[in-house]
């Protein structure tokens, strides 16, 4: 699985989200400012009435004095006007402690800040009189900003820098998070791959995703158990089949005479075919699930194959199949790393393929040579051969459907693979069938 | 099949009664009149306490004590030849490193004539003094004297010829590889000994064959080795 792609996509999505989030917030903030913001500066008192209305009422032009008084009372506010000399000339609801003459210093104070603790708003008329609208203590905030122009420029510069910085910080966090997640997730993905391929999974049960690892290990253990049960089952069945086969074979042998020899031999041949089939099934199953640990030893290539061939010939009736064996002298001094049992099985499966499917008298040629750092085993019979598409099917190690034909050859291919080698099947129907197995040579033995 | 009664005591240990009866029957018809069958390892121990057989045919998979456990028990006290009846790969999978001590393995199902052959070969190896004269097509070989008897003529075998002949005789009817024959004649190092081996074989043939150019008893299996055919 391509995890990099997955995280790139994830990053893109997060980026889009963060931009959207940012834009939404800015819009909402601006909207809020527009609706309730500072631009009103307390001009509006309440219910659409503001400082201008107070000025108008004192001038005798606006809403009636009673209405204004009622409104100011409702909101615990007050209004007054002083003339240029600082004397109170008019007032509505003015608190007692504020009812005094105001000096220039007082005026300078409250026109910018608070009058005592009351937030106030002032309006200066042309004649020098000042109208003051006072709000209840603690009901509003007045904040005046004074900033050198130079600093404002800095602030304007700082904002994009801060934004960019935040963006980079975000990207970094996102990236480091991805890397961390990837580190944790990758073994899990590999584990799932392994599980699917039927190989054992053993992840460390630590880290933030420990639970997932535990579950995967458990799933692997369970799958393994099922495989073990199945393999054990096949192994037992194949063992149990041997005894009745031995009895059939023995009986056929016991009753054999000149008249029925043909039939008895056929019984024997089929018993051996069944034996081979069961053994192949059993070993194939074990090899597929890695339950037969191959034991590799350094062996003389010639000796290894010679012994395997001799074993096969000694145990099978080969009198009716003329055989030619050519083991190169150079192969005597060539060593391969091999499992003796598996090589015996390889040779016996290839030989059996040639004698089981072909008529008596079919010639079999076997050669073992060392070339280009590989030991090459060729077994070729001049028998009925195989159609090309059948040959192609032999390379599928685990065909979708059970193919009864060629199981032995498929197992041979598997054995060669276990030895890090390669196998080729060639055939011409009616002419020949040939198997060429190549196994890498480990080193040249010193000739002594 | 030979008419001679064979006196060796054989013990078959197999829980499959049908198969062990068949083996017993086959062996008796081949002249082995002294065959006992045990249906379990415990049964076999009881029989062996009454007297050791000359050879044991031992099945691996048995309920209770299995074949390999019994073999280990036998080997504590006795060197009696044992032929294991099993699947080769199977035995080695399960008992790798434990199966040592058996004289031969026979894969089930097997041909009765293969069983007979193995029994004879193992007996020959284990009790060499019991069969002194080997009958070949054109000669007889007296193993005690290392002599070849051809009509009135008596030819003596050299030590090397005798060793090679014995190796072939112990495996008669089967191919013995050239390297293993060389090993028999000279020990571990055999490389480069092949031509010497061929000389020994030629001399052997001159002594035992009617026409050494057309051997009938000591035959060559090209590319693999040699085979001794007993009459």
């Amino acid at each position: 699985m391509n995890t990099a792609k997955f995280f790139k996509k994830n990053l893109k999505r997060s980026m889009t989200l963060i931009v959207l989030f940012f834009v939404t917030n800015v819009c909402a903030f601006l909207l809020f400012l527009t609706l309730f913001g500072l631009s009103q500066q307390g001009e509006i008192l309440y219910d659409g009435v503001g400082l201008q209305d107070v000025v108008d009422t004192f001038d005798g032009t606006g809403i009636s004095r009673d209405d204004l008084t009622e409104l100011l009372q409702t909101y615990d506010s007050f209004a007054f006007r002083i003339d240029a000399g600082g004397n109170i000339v008019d007032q509505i609801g003015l608190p007692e402690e504020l009812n005094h003459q105001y000096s220039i210093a007082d005026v300078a104070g409250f026109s910018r800040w608070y009058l005592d603790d009351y937030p106030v708003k002032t309006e200066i008329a042309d004649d020098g009189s000042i109208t003051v609208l006072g709000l209840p203590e603690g009901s509003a905030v007045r904040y005046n900003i004074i900033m050198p122009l130079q600093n404002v420029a800095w602030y304007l510069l700082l904002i994009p820098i801060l934004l960019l910085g935040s963006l980079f910080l975000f990207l970094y966090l996102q990236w480091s998070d991805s890397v961390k997640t990837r580190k944790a997730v990758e073994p899990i993905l590999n584990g799932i791959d392994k599980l699917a391929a039927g190989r054992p999974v053993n992840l460390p049960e630590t880290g933030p995703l420990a639970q997932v690892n535990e579950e995967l290990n458990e799933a692997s253990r369970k799958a393994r158990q099922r495989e073990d049960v199945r393999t054990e089952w096949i192994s037992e069945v194949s063992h149990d089949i041997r005894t009745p086969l031995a009895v059939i074979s023995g009986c056929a042998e016991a009753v054999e005479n000149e008249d029925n020899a043909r039939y008895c031999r056929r019984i024997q041949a089929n018993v051996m075919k069944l034996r081979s089939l069961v053994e192949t099934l059993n070993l194939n199953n074990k090899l597929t699930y890695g339950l037969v640990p191959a034991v590799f030893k350094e062996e003389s290539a010639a000796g290894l194959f010679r012994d395997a061939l001799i074993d096969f010939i000694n145990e099978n009736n080969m009198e009716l199949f003329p055989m030619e064996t050519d083991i190169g002298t150079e192969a005597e001094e060539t060593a391969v790393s091999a499992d003796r049992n598996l090589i015996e099985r390889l040779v016996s499966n290839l030989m059996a393929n040639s004698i089981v499917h072909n008529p008596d008298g079919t010639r079999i040629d076997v050669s073992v040579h060392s070339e280009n750092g590989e030991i090459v085993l060729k077994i070729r019979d001049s028998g009925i051969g195989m159609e090309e598409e059948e040959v192609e099917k032999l390379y599928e190690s685990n065909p979708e459907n059970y193919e009864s034909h060629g199981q032995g050859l498929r197992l041979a291919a598997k054995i060669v693979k276990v030895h890090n080698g390669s196998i080729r099947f060639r055939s011409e129907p009616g002419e020949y069938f040939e198997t060429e197995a190549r196994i890498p040579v480990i080193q040249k033995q010193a000739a002594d | 099949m030979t008419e001679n009664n064979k006196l060796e005591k054989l013990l078959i240990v197999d829980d499959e009664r049908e198969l062990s009866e068949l083996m017993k029957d086959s062996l008796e018809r081949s002249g082995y009149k002294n065959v006992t069958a045990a249906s379990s390892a415990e049964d076999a121990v009881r029989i062996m306490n009454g007297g050791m057989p000359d050879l044991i045919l031992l099945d691996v998979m048995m309920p209770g004590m299995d074949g390999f456990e019994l073999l280990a028990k036998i080997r504590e006290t006795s060197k009696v030849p044992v032929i294991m009846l099993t699947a080769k790969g199977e035995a080695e999978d399960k008992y790798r490193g434990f199966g040592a001590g058996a004289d031969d393995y026979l894969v089930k199902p097997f041909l009765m004539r293969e069983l007979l052959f193995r029994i004879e070969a193992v007996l020959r190896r284990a009790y060499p003094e019991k069969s002194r004269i080997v009958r070949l097509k054109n000669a007889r070989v007296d193993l005690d004297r290392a002599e070849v008897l051809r009509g009135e003529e008596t030819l003596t075998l050299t030590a090397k010829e005798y060793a090679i002949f014995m190796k072939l005789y112990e495996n008669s009817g089967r191919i013995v590889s050239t390297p293993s024959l060389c090993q028999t004649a000279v020990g571990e190092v055999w490389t480069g000994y092949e031509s010497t081996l061929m000389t020994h074989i030629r001399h052997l043939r001159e002594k035992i064959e009617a026409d050494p150019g057309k051997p009938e008893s000591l035959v060559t299996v090209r590319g693999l080795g040699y085979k001794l055919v007993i009459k």
Side-chain angles (χ1 to χ4, degrees), chain A residues 7-288:
Chain A
F7 288 111
K8 221 166 128 186
K9 217 168 145 185
N10 197 27
L11 186 72
K12 249 188 201 165
R13 208 175 117 251
S14 304
M15 287 283 294
T16 315
L17 272 178
I18 218 93
V19 168
L20 265 175
F21 183 71
F22 183 75
V23 168
T24 312
N25 276 297
V26 168
C27 289
F29 185 62
L30 289 177
L31 190 69
F32 179 80
L33 284 187
T34 316
L35 289 179
F36 314 103
L38 299 167
S39 67
Q40 304 300 318
Q41 298 273 338
E43 296 284 359
I44 290 172
L45 178 54
Y46 298 105
D47 301 336
V49 178
L51 180 58
Q52 195 52 51
D53 298 294
V54 176
V55 174
D56 292 346
T57 303
F58 282 158
D59 290 347
T61 56
I63 56 170
S64 76
R65 199 177 175 85
D66 289 344
D67 285 350
L68 183 63
T69 307
E70 200 186 322
L71 196 65
L72 287 175
Q73 269 174 359
T74 307
Y75 293 106
D76 230 359
S77 302
F78 60 91
F80 67 96
R81 178 174 277 179
I82 50 173
D83 61 15
N87 301 308
I88 292 177
V89 292
D90 200 353
Q91 60 89 9
I92 299 169
L94 181 66
E96 199 50 43
E97 71 271 20
L98 298 181
N99 196 355
H100 56 77
Q101 199 191 4
Y102 288 85
S103 66
I104 294 173
D106 290 335
V107 175
F110 71 67
S111 69
R112 300 286 301 267
W113 305 108
Y114 297 87
L115 171 53
D116 281 7
D117 283 332
Y118 301 92
V120 295
K121 183 74 189 158
T122 54
E123 170 90 19
I124 302 161
D126 291 341
D127 60 359
S129 68
I130 300 168
T131 308
V132 179
L133 172 63
L135 301 177
E137 282 173 292
S139 70
V141 176
R142 288 205 58 173
Y143 182 69
N144 287 26
I145 296 171
I146 295 173
M147 188 185 285
L149 203 60
Q150 202 186 351
N151 289 9
V152 173
W154 276 115
Y155 270 109
L156 288 177
L157 195 66
L158 200 62
I159 288 170
I161 287 173
L162 279 177
L163 277 177
L164 265 175
S166 306
L167 190 68
F168 280 122
L169 188 67
F170 164 77
L171 281 177
Y172 169 75
L173 286 177
Q174 180 82 17
W175 174 79
S176 75
D177 217 41
S178 295
V179 170
K180 251 189 233 162
T181 317
R182 217 164 123 181
K183 258 189 196 157
V185 168
E186 235 160 24
I188 294 176
L189 294 178
N190 291 341
I192 293 172
D193 278 350
K194 269 191 187 171
L195 201 61
R199 292 198 304 272
V201 178
N202 195 6
L203 299 170
E205 298 185 353
T206 52
L209 296 171
Q211 209 188 338
V212 180
N213 291 2
E214 275 170 36
E215 302 265 345
L216 266 177
N217 288 346
E218 181 63 19
S220 164
R221 260 195 297 279
K222 281 194 175 143
R224 200 85 196 152
Q225 260 170 20
R226 277 196 301 274
E227 278 157 17
D228 285 353
V229 166
R230 189 177 63 166
T231 306
E232 188 64 19
W233 189 83
I234 289 177
S235 165
E236 273 164 23
V237 167
S238 77
H239 180 269
D240 288 350
I241 278 176
R242 290 169 190 280
T243 300
L245 281 180
V247 173
I248 293 171
S249 160
C251 289
E253 226 175 334
V255 300
E256 185 177 328
N257 58 38
E258 279 177 19
D259 295 333
N260 64 17
R262 252 180 79 210
Y263 300 107
C264 289
R265 292 269 158 86
R266 193 156 293 177
I267 292 174
Q268 302 290 6
N270 278 285
V271 163
M272 289 306 154
K273 217 185 260 187
L274 259 177
R275 179 180 111 177
S276 158
L277 204 73
V278 158
E279 282 173 354
T280 297
L281 180 68
N282 194 13
L283 186 58
N284 194 0
N285 193 54
K286 287 181 177 176
L287 273 185
T288 304

Side-chain angles (χ1 to χ4, degrees), chain A residues 239 242-243 246-247 250 253-254 268 275 279 286 295 306 310-311 313-315 324-325 341 344, chain B residues 16 22 29 61 87-88 90 92-93 96 107-109 111-113 118 174-175 177 179 190 222 224:
Chain A
H239 180 269
R242 290 169 190 280
T243 300
V247 173
E253 226 175 334
Q268 302 290 6
R275 179 180 111 177
E279 282 173 354
K286 287 181 177 176
V295 178
R306 186 190 290 113
I310 289 175
D311 253 26
I313 297 166
N314 281 343
E315 278 168 29
E324 211 39 73
T325 313
N341 282 330
E344 270 175 21
Chain B
E16 302 287 344
L22 193 67
R29 283 191 297 131
M61 296 278 264
K88 213 176 193 176
E90 203 173 73
E92 278 156 29
D93 291 350
R96 230 179 252 276
V107 181
K108 271 185 179 180
L111 293 174
M112 288 303 161
R113 44 176 180 269
R118 299 285 185 104
R174 332 191 94 217
I175 304 167
S177 75
W190 63 271
R222 275 193 58 190
L224 297 175

